Amino acid sequence: MNIDRRSGCPINLSLEVFGDRWSLIILRDMIFGGRRHFRELLNGSLEGIASNILADRLKRLMELGLLTKADDPSHKQKAIYSLTEMAITLVPIMAQLGAWGRVWLPVSEELSIRAELLEKGGPPLWEQFMDELRHEHLGAPSRTPPGTPTVRQQLRAAYEAVVERKAEELRHIKTEA
Amino acid sequence: MNIDRRSGCPINLSLEVFGDRWSLIILRDMIFGGRRHFRELLNGSLEGIASNILADRLKRLMELGLLTKADDPSHKQKAIYSLTEMAITLVPIMAQLGAWGRVWLPVSEELSIRAELLEKGGPPLWEQFMDELRHEHLGAPSRTPPGTPTVRQQLRAAYEAVVERKAEELRHIKTEA
DNA sequence: GCAACTGATTGCAAAATGCAAGCGGATTGG
DNA sequence: CCAATCCGCTTGCATTTTGCAATCAGTTGC
């Protein structure tokens, strides 16, 4: 996978960056799942990426300027990957993709609740989330007042509420049967 | 290229629909370039898609519900492709992709002017454009008041203004030399 | 000392892509 | 009326990319 520069069209160039089946999945797991290590990305994602593809894409995303890599001080062999500003500004695209998929595709409820929250929150929520990512990945000062829940916490809470409700429904069905 | 259903995540499912190098390019040319025929898509796009890939993607996009095909009454051999509502609602994604690419990638000026216009117009302009596409492709009643320029006309005018300005600059350089 | 874990790499089969040529039928120009 | 052109699309084939499993050398915890 290399860059062709087929044309100078912005949509085409964007597609040449992440118009494949894995690059955006990796970025999604880093942005929304908070994953920073190779193994987290390898085992954590639902879709099951192969290790050679993951290695290739991480390298490529670094070359393209979307990721940086640093040594993890706690473990000499661990590498920690960080999002760049370029990758953080993909949040609105991710939100739109999620919103579109939620309407038109057979999404599962527990996985689409985050897209729904992100859609309802709109650009202000996206901005808050991007600020949090800048804090996490770029060391920028945190702009969220202390005490307020982070966007990732909100997303996680929403997800767990759905899972809990579904488990509850299942218990009801079982006791009825 | 088939659908895996790797997971029920909205972003993943969206990627399974157009996470390849050509599907979105074809939709871009239909949405922004107004192309409706096989040959128009084959020869018209800057990126140069191969005819077998184009045939395959058109078929796939029809199966996925993004396109429909009909006979062109004016020419017994021509097929005319139409966008469905599912495809028309990709406009916001296209706009975000264009906006992101314009910031981070080496776009050419004459091709990025449309992305700029679409970004500046924001959601209201996107809505107007989607209405026009519904009129063109789905036969919906036109909601743009007569006399007002269509979004596609605006995009084209902006593009041609840049091309004209560049030609003018070139003439200046030549006379100076 | 050793099992488990770290970020990868290797070999190989399967699938997708790119490219050029061609197909049967429809239309057009002279 | 006939040849040239155009229509959507297919075929054959070489190249590239992907998927999968096994494996690697270094690091860590016990």
Side-chain angles (χ1 to χ4, degrees), chain B residues 5-30:
Chain B
R5 291 282 148 76
R6 299 181 296 186
S7 85
C9 164
I11 290 177
N12 173 58
L13 288 169
S14 296
L15 276 180
E16 294 197 9
V17 169
F18 42 74
D20 71 284
R21 285 170 103 61
W22 291 111
S23 298
L24 261 196
I25 294 287
I26 294 168
L27 291 165
R28 178 203 65 184
D29 286 343
M30 291 190 67

mmCIF file with all atom_site columns, all heavy atoms in Angstrom, chain B residues 5-30:
data_model
loop_
_atom_site.group_PDB
_atom_site.id
_atom_site.type_symbol
_atom_site.label_atom_id
_atom_site.label_alt_id
_atom_site.label_comp_id
_atom_site.label_asym_id
_atom_site.label_entity_id
_atom_site.label_seq_id
_atom_site.pdbx_PDB_ins_code
_atom_site.Cartn_x
_atom_site.Cartn_y
_atom_site.Cartn_z
_atom_site.occupancy
_atom_site.B_iso_or_equiv
_atom_site.pdbx_formal_charge
_atom_site.auth_seq_id
_atom_site.auth_comp_id
_atom_site.auth_asym_id
_atom_site.auth_atom_id
_atom_site.pdbx_PDB_model_num
ATOM 1   N N   . ARG B 1 5  ? -19.229 -8.583 7.131   1.00 0.00 ? 5  ARG B N   1
ATOM 2   C CA  . ARG B 1 5  ? -19.863 -8.449 8.447   1.00 0.00 ? 5  ARG B CA  1
ATOM 3   C C   . ARG B 1 5  ? -18.892 -8.790 9.555   1.00 0.00 ? 5  ARG B C   1
ATOM 4   O O   . ARG B 1 5  ? -19.171 -9.638 10.402  1.00 0.00 ? 5  ARG B O   1
ATOM 5   C CB  . ARG B 1 5  ? -21.091 -9.366 8.587   1.00 0.00 ? 5  ARG B CB  1
ATOM 6   C CG  . ARG B 1 5  ? -22.275 -9.021 7.779   1.00 0.00 ? 5  ARG B CG  1
ATOM 7   C CD  . ARG B 1 5  ? -23.051 -7.869 8.394   1.00 0.00 ? 5  ARG B CD  1
ATOM 8   N NE  . ARG B 1 5  ? -23.657 -7.105 7.310   1.00 0.00 ? 5  ARG B NE  1
ATOM 9   C CZ  . ARG B 1 5  ? -24.725 -7.487 6.630   1.00 0.00 ? 5  ARG B CZ  1
ATOM 10  N NH1 . ARG B 1 5  ? -25.339 -8.568 6.966   1.00 0.00 ? 5  ARG B NH1 1
ATOM 11  N NH2 . ARG B 1 5  ? -25.187 -6.761 5.644   1.00 0.00 ? 5  ARG B NH2 1
ATOM 12  N N   . ARG B 1 6  ? -17.755 -8.153 9.514   1.00 0.00 ? 6  ARG B N   1
ATOM 13  C CA  . ARG B 1 6  ? -16.744 -8.438 10.516  1.00 0.00 ? 6  ARG B CA  1
ATOM 14  C C   . ARG B 1 6  ? -17.217 -8.075 11.913  1.00 0.00 ? 6  ARG B C   1
ATOM 15  O O   . ARG B 1 6  ? -16.840 -8.693 12.897  1.00 0.00 ? 6  ARG B O   1
ATOM 16  C CB  . ARG B 1 6  ? -15.458 -7.669 10.187  1.00 0.00 ? 6  ARG B CB  1
ATOM 17  C CG  . ARG B 1 6  ? -14.861 -8.051 8.852   1.00 0.00 ? 6  ARG B CG  1
ATOM 18  C CD  . ARG B 1 6  ? -13.592 -7.289 8.589   1.00 0.00 ? 6  ARG B CD  1
ATOM 19  N NE  . ARG B 1 6  ? -13.829 -5.849 8.479   1.00 0.00 ? 6  ARG B NE  1
ATOM 20  C CZ  . ARG B 1 6  ? -12.901 -4.968 8.129   1.00 0.00 ? 6  ARG B CZ  1
ATOM 21  N NH1 . ARG B 1 6  ? -11.691 -5.376 7.865   1.00 0.00 ? 6  ARG B NH1 1
ATOM 22  N NH2 . ARG B 1 6  ? -13.177 -3.683 8.041   1.00 0.00 ? 6  ARG B NH2 1
ATOM 23  N N   . SER B 1 7  ? -18.009 -7.001 12.006  1.00 0.00 ? 7  SER B N   1
ATOM 24  C CA  . SER B 1 7  ? -18.596 -6.624 13.290  1.00 0.00 ? 7  SER B CA  1
ATOM 25  C C   . SER B 1 7  ? -19.775 -5.694 13.033  1.00 0.00 ? 7  SER B C   1
ATOM 26  O O   . SER B 1 7  ? -19.938 -5.164 11.942  1.00 0.00 ? 7  SER B O   1
ATOM 27  C CB  . SER B 1 7  ? -17.580 -5.913 14.181  1.00 0.00 ? 7  SER B CB  1
ATOM 28  O OG  . SER B 1 7  ? -17.535 -4.522 13.888  1.00 0.00 ? 7  SER B OG  1
ATOM 29  N N   . GLY B 1 8  ? -20.588 -5.471 14.046  1.00 0.00 ? 8  GLY B N   1
ATOM 30  C CA  . GLY B 1 8  ? -21.757 -4.602 13.910  1.00 0.00 ? 8  GLY B CA  1
ATOM 31  C C   . GLY B 1 8  ? -21.468 -3.150 14.199  1.00 0.00 ? 8  GLY B C   1
ATOM 32  O O   . GLY B 1 8  ? -22.387 -2.351 14.344  1.00 0.00 ? 8  GLY B O   1
ATOM 33  N N   . CYS B 1 9  ? -20.208 -2.783 14.251  1.00 0.00 ? 9  CYS B N   1
ATOM 34  C CA  . CYS B 1 9  ? -19.833 -1.390 14.500  1.00 0.00 ? 9  CYS B CA  1
ATOM 35  C C   . CYS B 1 9  ? -20.166 -0.545 13.284  1.00 0.00 ? 9  CYS B C   1
ATOM 36  O O   . CYS B 1 9  ? -19.832 -0.909 12.158  1.00 0.00 ? 9  CYS B O   1
ATOM 37  C CB  . CYS B 1 9  ? -18.337 -1.295 14.802  1.00 0.00 ? 9  CYS B CB  1
ATOM 38  S SG  . CYS B 1 9  ? -17.668 0.372  14.670  1.00 0.00 ? 9  CYS B SG  1
ATOM 39  N N   . PRO B 1 10 ? -20.840 0.590  13.501  1.00 0.00 ? 10 PRO B N   1
ATOM 40  C CA  . PRO B 1 10 ? -21.260 1.434  12.369  1.00 0.00 ? 10 PRO B CA  1
ATOM 41  C C   . PRO B 1 10 ? -20.102 1.866  11.485  1.00 0.00 ? 10 PRO B C   1
ATOM 42  O O   . PRO B 1 10 ? -20.229 1.858  10.259  1.00 0.00 ? 10 PRO B O   1
ATOM 43  C CB  . PRO B 1 10 ? -21.890 2.656  13.044  1.00 0.00 ? 10 PRO B CB  1
ATOM 44  C CG  . PRO B 1 10 ? -22.158 2.270  14.439  1.00 0.00 ? 10 PRO B CG  1
ATOM 45  C CD  . PRO B 1 10 ? -21.244 1.144  14.800  1.00 0.00 ? 10 PRO B CD  1
ATOM 46  N N   . ILE B 1 11 ? -18.984 2.220  12.096  1.00 0.00 ? 11 ILE B N   1
ATOM 47  C CA  . ILE B 1 11 ? -17.836 2.660  11.297  1.00 0.00 ? 11 ILE B CA  1
ATOM 48  C C   . ILE B 1 11 ? -17.300 1.500  10.474  1.00 0.00 ? 11 ILE B C   1
ATOM 49  O O   . ILE B 1 11 ? -17.003 1.643  9.293   1.00 0.00 ? 11 ILE B O   1
ATOM 50  C CB  . ILE B 1 11 ? -16.738 3.253  12.207  1.00 0.00 ? 11 ILE B CB  1
ATOM 51  C CG1 . ILE B 1 11 ? -17.229 4.588  12.786  1.00 0.00 ? 11 ILE B CG1 1
ATOM 52  C CG2 . ILE B 1 11 ? -15.443 3.465  11.428  1.00 0.00 ? 11 ILE B CG2 1
ATOM 53  C CD1 . ILE B 1 11 ? -16.257 5.236  13.747  1.00 0.00 ? 11 ILE B CD1 1
ATOM 54  N N   . ASN B 1 12 ? -17.213 0.336  11.084  1.00 0.00 ? 12 ASN B N   1
ATOM 55  C CA  . ASN B 1 12 ? -16.752 -0.836 10.353  1.00 0.00 ? 12 ASN B CA  1
ATOM 56  C C   . ASN B 1 12 ? -17.695 -1.171 9.203   1.00 0.00 ? 12 ASN B C   1
ATOM 57  O O   . ASN B 1 12 ? -17.251 -1.432 8.082   1.00 0.00 ? 12 ASN B O   1
ATOM 58  C CB  . ASN B 1 12 ? -16.639 -2.039 11.285  1.00 0.00 ? 12 ASN B CB  1
ATOM 59  C CG  . ASN B 1 12 ? -16.329 -3.302 10.508  1.00 0.00 ? 12 ASN B CG  1
ATOM 60  O OD1 . ASN B 1 12 ? -15.336 -3.390 9.807   1.00 0.00 ? 12 ASN B OD1 1
ATOM 61  N ND2 . ASN B 1 12 ? -17.220 -4.276 10.595  1.00 0.00 ? 12 ASN B ND2 1
ATOM 62  N N   . LEU B 1 13 ? -18.980 -1.160 9.460   1.00 0.00 ? 13 LEU B N   1
ATOM 63  C CA  . LEU B 1 13 ? -19.936 -1.502 8.407   1.00 0.00 ? 13 LEU B CA  1
ATOM 64  C C   . LEU B 1 13 ? -19.892 -0.476 7.275   1.00 0.00 ? 13 LEU B C   1
ATOM 65  O O   . LEU B 1 13 ? -19.987 -0.834 6.104   1.00 0.00 ? 13 LEU B O   1
ATOM 66  C CB  . LEU B 1 13 ? -21.351 -1.611 8.985   1.00 0.00 ? 13 LEU B CB  1
ATOM 67  C CG  . LEU B 1 13 ? -21.573 -2.850 9.861   1.00 0.00 ? 13 LEU B CG  1
ATOM 68  C CD1 . LEU B 1 13 ? -22.899 -2.758 10.606  1.00 0.00 ? 13 LEU B CD1 1
ATOM 69  C CD2 . LEU B 1 13 ? -21.546 -4.114 9.022   1.00 0.00 ? 13 LEU B CD2 1
ATOM 70  N N   . SER B 1 14 ? -19.739 0.788  7.630   1.00 0.00 ? 14 SER B N   1
ATOM 71  C CA  . SER B 1 14 ? -19.594 1.811  6.587   1.00 0.00 ? 14 SER B CA  1
ATOM 72  C C   . SER B 1 14 ? -18.361 1.534  5.741   1.00 0.00 ? 14 SER B C   1
ATOM 73  O O   . SER B 1 14 ? -18.405 1.617  4.511   1.00 0.00 ? 14 SER B O   1
ATOM 74  C CB  . SER B 1 14 ? -19.481 3.204  7.218   1.00 0.00 ? 14 SER B CB  1
ATOM 75  O OG  . SER B 1 14 ? -20.668 3.531  7.905   1.00 0.00 ? 14 SER B OG  1
ATOM 76  N N   . LEU B 1 15 ? -17.270 1.168  6.404   1.00 0.00 ? 15 LEU B N   1
ATOM 77  C CA  . LEU B 1 15 ? -16.041 0.864  5.674   1.00 0.00 ? 15 LEU B CA  1
ATOM 78  C C   . LEU B 1 15 ? -16.219 -0.338 4.768   1.00 0.00 ? 15 LEU B C   1
ATOM 79  O O   . LEU B 1 15 ? -15.630 -0.405 3.691   1.00 0.00 ? 15 LEU B O   1
ATOM 80  C CB  . LEU B 1 15 ? -14.902 0.587  6.648   1.00 0.00 ? 15 LEU B CB  1
ATOM 81  C CG  . LEU B 1 15 ? -14.179 1.807  7.173   1.00 0.00 ? 15 LEU B CG  1
ATOM 82  C CD1 . LEU B 1 15 ? -13.072 1.391  8.126   1.00 0.00 ? 15 LEU B CD1 1
ATOM 83  C CD2 . LEU B 1 15 ? -13.604 2.610  6.017   1.00 0.00 ? 15 LEU B CD2 1
ATOM 84  N N   . GLU B 1 16 ? -17.031 -1.296 5.194   1.00 0.00 ? 16 GLU B N   1
ATOM 85  C CA  . GLU B 1 16 ? -17.228 -2.468 4.353   1.00 0.00 ? 16 GLU B CA  1
ATOM 86  C C   . GLU B 1 16 ? -18.011 -2.108 3.094   1.00 0.00 ? 16 GLU B C   1
ATOM 87  O O   . GLU B 1 16 ? -17.947 -2.810 2.100   1.00 0.00 ? 16 GLU B O   1
ATOM 88  C CB  . GLU B 1 16 ? -17.933 -3.569 5.141   1.00 0.00 ? 16 GLU B CB  1
ATOM 89  C CG  . GLU B 1 16 ? -17.059 -4.078 6.272   1.00 0.00 ? 16 GLU B CG  1
ATOM 90  C CD  . GLU B 1 16 ? -17.509 -5.422 6.825   1.00 0.00 ? 16 GLU B CD  1
ATOM 91  O OE1 . GLU B 1 16 ? -18.387 -6.042 6.234   1.00 0.00 ? 16 GLU B OE1 1
ATOM 92  O OE2 . GLU B 1 16 ? -16.966 -5.820 7.862   1.00 0.00 ? 16 GLU B OE2 1
ATOM 93  N N   . VAL B 1 17 ? -18.743 -1.009 3.160   1.00 0.00 ? 17 VAL B N   1
ATOM 94  C CA  . VAL B 1 17 ? -19.482 -0.567 1.977   1.00 0.00 ? 17 VAL B CA  1
ATOM 95  C C   . VAL B 1 17 ? -18.564 0.183  1.013   1.00 0.00 ? 17 VAL B C   1
ATOM 96  O O   . VAL B 1 17 ? -18.542 -0.105 -0.173  1.00 0.00 ? 17 VAL B O   1
ATOM 97  C CB  . VAL B 1 17 ? -20.681 0.313  2.383   1.00 0.00 ? 17 VAL B CB  1
ATOM 98  C CG1 . VAL B 1 17 ? -21.292 0.980  1.167   1.00 0.00 ? 17 VAL B CG1 1
ATOM 99  C CG2 . VAL B 1 17 ? -21.725 -0.524 3.105   1.00 0.00 ? 17 VAL B CG2 1
ATOM 100 N N   . PHE B 1 18 ? -17.821 1.170  1.522   1.00 0.00 ? 18 PHE B N   1
ATOM 101 C CA  . PHE B 1 18 ? -17.009 1.957  0.582   1.00 0.00 ? 18 PHE B CA  1
ATOM 102 C C   . PHE B 1 18 ? -15.572 2.121  1.071   1.00 0.00 ? 18 PHE B C   1
ATOM 103 O O   . PHE B 1 18 ? -14.940 3.135  0.765   1.00 0.00 ? 18 PHE B O   1
ATOM 104 C CB  . PHE B 1 18 ? -17.647 3.316  0.303   1.00 0.00 ? 18 PHE B CB  1
ATOM 105 C CG  . PHE B 1 18 ? -18.206 4.000  1.490   1.00 0.00 ? 18 PHE B CG  1
ATOM 106 C CD1 . PHE B 1 18 ? -17.369 4.570  2.419   1.00 0.00 ? 18 PHE B CD1 1
ATOM 107 C CD2 . PHE B 1 18 ? -19.581 4.073  1.690   1.00 0.00 ? 18 PHE B CD2 1
ATOM 108 C CE1 . PHE B 1 18 ? -17.878 5.208  3.519   1.00 0.00 ? 18 PHE B CE1 1
ATOM 109 C CE2 . PHE B 1 18 ? -20.099 4.711  2.800   1.00 0.00 ? 18 PHE B CE2 1
ATOM 110 C CZ  . PHE B 1 18 ? -19.255 5.283  3.718   1.00 0.00 ? 18 PHE B CZ  1
ATOM 111 N N   . GLY B 1 19 ? -15.057 1.121  1.799   1.00 0.00 ? 19 GLY B N   1
ATOM 112 C CA  . GLY B 1 19 ? -13.674 1.193  2.255   1.00 0.00 ? 19 GLY B CA  1
ATOM 113 C C   . GLY B 1 19 ? -12.728 0.571  1.244   1.00 0.00 ? 19 GLY B C   1
ATOM 114 O O   . GLY B 1 19 ? -11.940 -0.295 1.573   1.00 0.00 ? 19 GLY B O   1
ATOM 115 N N   . ASP B 1 20 ? -12.815 0.994  0.015   1.00 0.00 ? 20 ASP B N   1
ATOM 116 C CA  . ASP B 1 20 ? -11.882 0.535  -1.011  1.00 0.00 ? 20 ASP B CA  1
ATOM 117 C C   . ASP B 1 20 ? -11.505 1.739  -1.845  1.00 0.00 ? 20 ASP B C   1
ATOM 118 O O   . ASP B 1 20 ? -11.972 2.840  -1.621  1.00 0.00 ? 20 ASP B O   1
ATOM 119 C CB  . ASP B 1 20 ? -12.521 -0.552 -1.877  1.00 0.00 ? 20 ASP B CB  1
ATOM 120 C CG  . ASP B 1 20 ? -13.585 0.001  -2.781  1.00 0.00 ? 20 ASP B CG  1
ATOM 121 O OD1 . ASP B 1 20 ? -14.687 0.294  -2.284  1.00 0.00 ? 20 ASP B OD1 1
ATOM 122 O OD2 . ASP B 1 20 ? -13.337 0.155  -3.989  1.00 0.00 ? 20 ASP B OD2 1
ATOM 123 N N   . ARG B 1 21 ? -10.666 1.522  -2.811  1.00 0.00 ? 21 ARG B N   1
ATOM 124 C CA  . ARG B 1 21 ? -10.096 2.655  -3.520  1.00 0.00 ? 21 ARG B CA  1
ATOM 125 C C   . ARG B 1 21 ? -11.004 3.229  -4.601  1.00 0.00 ? 21 ARG B C   1
ATOM 126 O O   . ARG B 1 21 ? -10.686 4.272  -5.181  1.00 0.00 ? 21 ARG B O   1
ATOM 127 C CB  . ARG B 1 21 ? -8.753  2.263  -4.131  1.00 0.00 ? 21 ARG B CB  1
ATOM 128 C CG  . ARG B 1 21 ? -7.658  2.163  -3.090  1.00 0.00 ? 21 ARG B CG  1
ATOM 129 C CD  . ARG B 1 21 ? -6.405  1.540  -3.631  1.00 0.00 ? 21 ARG B CD  1
ATOM 130 N NE  . ARG B 1 21 ? -5.352  2.495  -3.927  1.00 0.00 ? 21 ARG B NE  1
ATOM 131 C CZ  . ARG B 1 21 ? -4.791  3.296  -3.016  1.00 0.00 ? 21 ARG B CZ  1
ATOM 132 N NH1 . ARG B 1 21 ? -5.192  3.270  -1.790  1.00 0.00 ? 21 ARG B NH1 1
ATOM 133 N NH2 . ARG B 1 21 ? -3.840  4.124  -3.373  1.00 0.00 ? 21 ARG B NH2 1
ATOM 134 N N   . TRP B 1 22 ? -12.125 2.607  -4.895  1.00 0.00 ? 22 TRP B N   1
ATOM 135 C CA  . TRP B 1 22 ? -12.897 3.087  -6.030  1.00 0.00 ? 22 TRP B CA  1
ATOM 136 C C   . TRP B 1 22 ? -14.358 3.449  -5.761  1.00 0.00 ? 22 TRP B C   1
ATOM 137 O O   . TRP B 1 22 ? -14.901 4.359  -6.401  1.00 0.00 ? 22 TRP B O   1
ATOM 138 C CB  . TRP B 1 22 ? -12.830 2.069  -7.171  1.00 0.00 ? 22 TRP B CB  1
ATOM 139 C CG  . TRP B 1 22 ? -11.465 1.991  -7.775  1.00 0.00 ? 22 TRP B CG  1
ATOM 140 C CD1 . TRP B 1 22 ? -10.586 0.953  -7.709  1.00 0.00 ? 22 TRP B CD1 1
ATOM 141 C CD2 . TRP B 1 22 ? -10.796 3.013  -8.526  1.00 0.00 ? 22 TRP B CD2 1
ATOM 142 N NE1 . TRP B 1 22 ? -9.423  1.251  -8.359  1.00 0.00 ? 22 TRP B NE1 1
ATOM 143 C CE2 . TRP B 1 22 ? -9.522  2.513  -8.876  1.00 0.00 ? 22 TRP B CE2 1
ATOM 144 C CE3 . TRP B 1 22 ? -11.144 4.302  -8.927  1.00 0.00 ? 22 TRP B CE3 1
ATOM 145 C CZ2 . TRP B 1 22 ? -8.603  3.270  -9.612  1.00 0.00 ? 22 TRP B CZ2 1
ATOM 146 C CZ3 . TRP B 1 22 ? -10.227 5.044  -9.658  1.00 0.00 ? 22 TRP B CZ3 1
ATOM 147 C CH2 . TRP B 1 22 ? -8.982  4.528  -9.992  1.00 0.00 ? 22 TRP B CH2 1
ATOM 148 N N   . SER B 1 23 ? -14.999 2.769  -4.834  1.00 0.00 ? 23 SER B N   1
ATOM 149 C CA  . SER B 1 23 ? -16.436 2.976  -4.652  1.00 0.00 ? 23 SER B CA  1
ATOM 150 C C   . SER B 1 23 ? -16.793 4.452  -4.415  1.00 0.00 ? 23 SER B C   1
ATOM 151 O O   . SER B 1 23 ? -17.699 5.002  -5.058  1.00 0.00 ? 23 SER B O   1
ATOM 152 C CB  . SER B 1 23 ? -16.957 2.128  -3.496  1.00 0.00 ? 23 SER B CB  1
ATOM 153 O OG  . SER B 1 23 ? -16.765 0.759  -3.770  1.00 0.00 ? 23 SER B OG  1
ATOM 154 N N   . LEU B 1 24 ? -16.064 5.094  -3.522  1.00 0.00 ? 24 LEU B N   1
ATOM 155 C CA  . LEU B 1 24 ? -16.388 6.484  -3.214  1.00 0.00 ? 24 LEU B CA  1
ATOM 156 C C   . LEU B 1 24 ? -16.028 7.422  -4.358  1.00 0.00 ? 24 LEU B C   1
ATOM 157 O O   . LEU B 1 24 ? -16.664 8.462  -4.541  1.00 0.00 ? 24 LEU B O   1
ATOM 158 C CB  . LEU B 1 24 ? -15.678 6.942  -1.944  1.00 0.00 ? 24 LEU B CB  1
ATOM 159 C CG  . LEU B 1 24 ? -16.476 6.948  -0.648  1.00 0.00 ? 24 LEU B CG  1
ATOM 160 C CD1 . LEU B 1 24 ? -15.767 7.787  0.392   1.00 0.00 ? 24 LEU B CD1 1
ATOM 161 C CD2 . LEU B 1 24 ? -17.878 7.489  -0.846  1.00 0.00 ? 24 LEU B CD2 1
ATOM 162 N N   . ILE B 1 25 ? -15.018 7.044  -5.140  1.00 0.00 ? 25 ILE B N   1
ATOM 163 C CA  . ILE B 1 25 ? -14.641 7.856  -6.305  1.00 0.00 ? 25 ILE B CA  1
ATOM 164 C C   . ILE B 1 25 ? -15.797 7.861  -7.315  1.00 0.00 ? 25 ILE B C   1
ATOM 165 O O   . ILE B 1 25 ? -16.154 8.905  -7.872  1.00 0.00 ? 25 ILE B O   1
ATOM 166 C CB  . ILE B 1 25 ? -13.361 7.287  -6.959  1.00 0.00 ? 25 ILE B CB  1
ATOM 167 C CG1 . ILE B 1 25 ? -12.165 7.434  -6.006  1.00 0.00 ? 25 ILE B CG1 1
ATOM 168 C CG2 . ILE B 1 25 ? -13.077 7.969  -8.290  1.00 0.00 ? 25 ILE B CG2 1
ATOM 169 C CD1 . ILE B 1 25 ? -11.661 8.843  -5.846  1.00 0.00 ? 25 ILE B CD1 1
ATOM 170 N N   . ILE B 1 26 ? -16.378 6.689  -7.532  1.00 0.00 ? 26 ILE B N   1
ATOM 171 C CA  . ILE B 1 26 ? -17.514 6.588  -8.448  1.00 0.00 ? 26 ILE B CA  1
ATOM 172 C C   . ILE B 1 26 ? -18.681 7.424  -7.940  1.00 0.00 ? 26 ILE B C   1
ATOM 173 O O   . ILE B 1 26 ? -19.282 8.202  -8.694  1.00 0.00 ? 26 ILE B O   1
ATOM 174 C CB  . ILE B 1 26 ? -17.936 5.112  -8.597  1.00 0.00 ? 26 ILE B CB  1
ATOM 175 C CG1 . ILE B 1 26 ? -16.830 4.316  -9.291  1.00 0.00 ? 26 ILE B CG1 1
ATOM 176 C CG2 . ILE B 1 26 ? -19.250 4.996  -9.362  1.00 0.00 ? 26 ILE B CG2 1
ATOM 177 C CD1 . ILE B 1 26 ? -17.025 2.805  -9.222  1.00 0.00 ? 26 ILE B CD1 1
ATOM 178 N N   . LEU B 1 27 ? -18.972 7.298  -6.653  1.00 0.00 ? 27 LEU B N   1
ATOM 179 C CA  . LEU B 1 27 ? -20.079 8.062  -6.081  1.00 0.00 ? 27 LEU B CA  1
ATOM 180 C C   . LEU B 1 27 ? -19.786 9.562  -6.140  1.00 0.00 ? 27 LEU B C   1
ATOM 181 O O   . LEU B 1 27 ? -20.681 10.371 -6.415  1.00 0.00 ? 27 LEU B O   1
ATOM 182 C CB  . LEU B 1 27 ? -20.328 7.611  -4.641  1.00 0.00 ? 27 LEU B CB  1
ATOM 183 C CG  . LEU B 1 27 ? -20.908 6.199  -4.534  1.00 0.00 ? 27 LEU B CG  1
ATOM 184 C CD1 . LEU B 1 27 ? -20.790 5.673  -3.111  1.00 0.00 ? 27 LEU B CD1 1
ATOM 185 C CD2 . LEU B 1 27 ? -22.370 6.174  -4.995  1.00 0.00 ? 27 LEU B CD2 1
ATOM 186 N N   . ARG B 1 28 ? -18.545 9.937  -5.910  1.00 0.00 ? 28 ARG B N   1
ATOM 187 C CA  . ARG B 1 28 ? -18.149 11.347 -6.024  1.00 0.00 ? 28 ARG B CA  1
ATOM 188 C C   . ARG B 1 28 ? -18.446 11.881 -7.421  1.00 0.00 ? 28 ARG B C   1
ATOM 189 O O   . ARG B 1 28 ? -19.015 12.964 -7.582  1.00 0.00 ? 28 ARG B O   1
ATOM 190 C CB  . ARG B 1 28 ? -16.656 11.489 -5.725  1.00 0.00 ? 28 ARG B CB  1
ATOM 191 C CG  . ARG B 1 28 ? -16.125 12.911 -5.862  1.00 0.00 ? 28 ARG B CG  1
ATOM 192 C CD  . ARG B 1 28 ? -14.626 12.913 -6.103  1.00 0.00 ? 28 ARG B CD  1
ATOM 193 N NE  . ARG B 1 28 ? -14.298 12.290 -7.387  1.00 0.00 ? 28 ARG B NE  1
ATOM 194 C CZ  . ARG B 1 28 ? -13.065 12.081 -7.831  1.00 0.00 ? 28 ARG B CZ  1
ATOM 195 N NH1 . ARG B 1 28 ? -12.038 12.433 -7.096  1.00 0.00 ? 28 ARG B NH1 1
ATOM 196 N NH2 . ARG B 1 28 ? -12.856 11.518 -9.004  1.00 0.00 ? 28 ARG B NH2 1
ATOM 197 N N   . ASP B 1 29 ? -18.074 11.103 -8.453  1.00 0.00 ? 29 ASP B N   1
ATOM 198 C CA  . ASP B 1 29 ? -18.292 11.569 -9.817  1.00 0.00 ? 29 ASP B CA  1
ATOM 199 C C   . ASP B 1 29 ? -19.772 11.652 -10.152 1.00 0.00 ? 29 ASP B C   1
ATOM 200 O O   . ASP B 1 29 ? -20.185 12.507 -10.941 1.00 0.00 ? 29 ASP B O   1
ATOM 201 C CB  . ASP B 1 29 ? -17.581 10.637 -10.809 1.00 0.00 ? 29 ASP B CB  1
ATOM 202 C CG  . ASP B 1 29 ? -16.076 10.849 -10.784 1.00 0.00 ? 29 ASP B CG  1
ATOM 203 O OD1 . ASP B 1 29 ? -15.636 11.888 -10.265 1.00 0.00 ? 29 ASP B OD1 1
ATOM 204 O OD2 . ASP B 1 29 ? -15.346 9.974  -11.283 1.00 0.00 ? 29 ASP B OD2 1
ATOM 205 N N   . MET B 1 30 ? -20.557 10.760 -9.576  1.00 0.00 ? 30 MET B N   1
ATOM 206 C CA  . MET B 1 30 ? -21.996 10.848 -9.810  1.00 0.00 ? 30 MET B CA  1
ATOM 207 C C   . MET B 1 30 ? -22.595 12.037 -9.068  1.00 0.00 ? 30 MET B C   1
ATOM 208 O O   . MET B 1 30 ? -23.407 12.787 -9.604  1.00 0.00 ? 30 MET B O   1
ATOM 209 C CB  . MET B 1 30 ? -22.682 9.544  -9.393  1.00 0.00 ? 30 MET B CB  1
ATOM 210 C CG  . MET B 1 30 ? -22.334 8.374  -10.292 1.00 0.00 ? 30 MET B CG  1
ATOM 211 S SD  . MET B 1 30 ? -23.362 6.910  -9.970  1.00 0.00 ? 30 MET B SD  1
ATOM 212 C CE  . MET B 1 30 ? -24.981 7.490  -10.513 1.00 0.00 ? 30 MET B CE  1
#
